[in-house]
Amino acid sequence: AREYEGKPELVKSKDGSVWYILPNLKNKFLSNSKIRKAILLAVDRDELVKSVLNGTGESARTFVPSGIGIKGISKDFPEEVPTSIEKYNPQKAKQLFAEGLKELGMTSAPTLEVLINDSGNNKPVAEFVQESVRKNLGLNLNVKAVTFQERVSRMASKDFDLVLAGWSGDFKDPITYLDLFVTGGGQNRGSHSNPQYDALVKKIKSTADPNVRVPAMIELEKIIADDTPVAVLYQREKPYLMDTKVQGLKFTAIGGEFYFKNFQSSMRSALKNKNTMRIHETCIVKFIQFCYENELDQTLKFNTFSSRHLNNYFEWLNTMYRKKRSKSPFKDIKNLSNSTRQAHLTALKDI
């Protein structure tokens, strides 16, 4: 989408995922915190976002992504975190690397394998990290590309040295990211263990009081910044190409990918169930794609809307209900009431 840079058709939105290099702490070499911190400091995350990701993303200063609606006490949670994951510092990285080798009783570093998915931009990101640590630390990495399924399987069995991975939250609370490194946790693939970290997670999950929870979660961010259970790289953004004729389409990082602002207000009284709302929103995107593919210009403007076009829309709805294994209220399209047709027609025109 480079040719669309700066044009209104290109829309970038944070998708709620944070990407990082995860070390396996069962590996003696990577069990040393100075070695892990050296790897982090040897990578220029700002340059990674600029040159490899073409400016689509943001170098991370906290593990919890910023600007996606995760609140602290009164502001965006990352804004309330006073500590920060350290920035690119090759001189300090060299010093820590030498100190780590000495503590381990080693005179040189072993060659390590970094595991990646064989799709997307994983390869160029890994190669940037590979060259950064070679140049700044003399550490050699072999990049191993595998399928997503194999990468997940090898992470689960702790069969890796380093792995390029990402994490997205399930709900808008910092703990959906921060409990990742609790001892024995199901997603703690790097085997990080810190009694203070565990105690803080337990404290956070035992109360709903933000005045207790938020300071404790800030402490978790500090431990991540100090102990480096992961080398945090960037917070991902997704680029979307969207015709300027489409109005009211908004993107969200957690709890879906998109929604129609005007569609929600138009249909809220008719659609009480949130899952049903998502089915209808997904259907509208499918329907708009159908309009583009068939060059239905008048339909795109919603100035005229024939019965045939509306039937296509309801057919999309029925398909989405079937995929969700839900019973569709629109199965008998020919006999839908005029009021039902009018309600959906109004919602479509409101977009």
Side-chain angles (χ1 to χ4, degrees), residues 40-318:
L40 169 71
L41 299 182
V43 180
D44 187 341
R45 307 194 300 274
D46 289 333
E47 184 60 29
L48 168 66
V49 171
K50 179 182 176 182
S51 63
V52 179
L53 303 178
N54 301 315
T56 302
E58 182 179 295
S59 61
R61 62 165 295 273
T62 56
F63 191 71
V64 176
S66 63
I68 62 169
I70 295 182
K71 299 298 182 184
I73 297 293
S74 60
K75 298 184 292 186
D76 196 47
F77 173 75
E79 289 185 31
E80 296 185 353
V81 178
T83 56
S84 178
I85 294 168
E86 290 187 60
K87 292 185 176 182
Y88 175 59
N89 189 331
Q91 290 75 28
K92 186 175 180 180
K94 287 183 176 68
Q95 178 185 339
L96 288 173
F97 197 70
E99 292 174 2
L101 285 173
K102 185 176 181 180
E103 290 176 3
L104 291 166
M106 302 172 71
T107 56
S108 61
T111 297
L112 301 175
E113 181 180 86
V114 55
L115 198 65
I116 66 168
N117 291 351
D118 60 357
S119 60
N121 57 21
N122 291 279
K123 190 171 186 287
V125 169
E127 288 175 343
F128 183 91
V129 173
Q130 178 188 45
E131 176 58 19
S132 296
V133 299
R134 185 204 63 78
K135 180 179 68 176
N136 292 319
L137 301 177
L139 174 62
N140 292 316
L141 301 182
N142 291 329
V143 177
K144 176 69 172 179
V146 298
T147 63
F148 171 80
Q149 291 80 6
E150 184 177 346
R151 193 262 293 172
V152 170
S153 176
R154 286 184 58 176
M155 287 179 69
S157 61
K158 312 297 176 76
D159 180 21
F160 66 93
D161 298 326
L162 300 162
V163 59
L164 174 61
W167 184 259
S168 297
D170 298 315
F171 49 92
K172 290 185 178 180
D173 189 295
I175 198 62
T176 192
Y177 293 88
L178 296 173
D179 68 354
L180 204 60
F181 308 112
V182 69
T183 302
Q187 296 297 329
N188 185 4
R189 306 306 193 192
S191 300
H192 176 260
S193 183
N194 181 312
Q196 182 189 0
Y197 198 97
D198 298 344
L200 285 167
V201 170
K202 186 176 180 180
K203 179 180 181 180
I204 291 160
K205 292 188 174 182
S206 68
T207 179
D209 185 353
N211 293 305
V212 175
R213 298 180 77 252
V214 172
M217 290 188 286
I218 288 173
E219 282 298 309
L220 293 181
E221 284 279 11
K222 183 178 185 301
I223 293 173
I224 292 173
D226 291 342
D227 204 28
T228 325
V230 290
V232 184
L233 298 176
Y234 64 93
Q235 297 170 7
R236 190 169 68 180
E237 285 183 331
K238 281 187 177 180
Y240 299 89
L241 288 178
M242 186 169 66
D243 195 290
T244 54
K245 296 170 184 173
V246 179
Q247 301 296 315
L249 179 62
K250 305 295 182 182
F251 298 96
T252 182
I254 295 177
E257 186 173 0
F258 56 82
Y259 63 95
F260 281 96
K261 184 177 179 181
N262 293 336
F263 174 74
Q264 284 195 338
S265 61
S266 298
M267 296 299 290
R268 191 171 285 113
S269 60
L271 303 173
K272 303 295 185 183
N273 184 282
K274 287 184 178 179
N275 289 331
T276 305
M277 180 76 80
R278 292 293 305 145
I279 290 173
H280 284 244
E281 289 175 346
T282 302
C283 176
I284 284 188
V285 170
K286 293 279 190 181
F287 184 70
I288 288 175
Q289 289 173 344
F290 166 82
C291 291
Y292 285 150
E293 290 167 3
N294 291 277
E295 299 180 351
L296 302 176
D297 294 335
Q298 288 184 320
T299 304
L300 289 173
K301 296 174 183 176
F302 299 111
N303 292 329
T304 62
F305 208 87
S306 73
S307 176
R308 178 173 65 85
H309 297 154
L310 195 58
N311 285 346
N312 284 326
Y313 166 72
F314 283 115
E315 285 174 5
W316 278 116
L317 274 181
N318 288 328

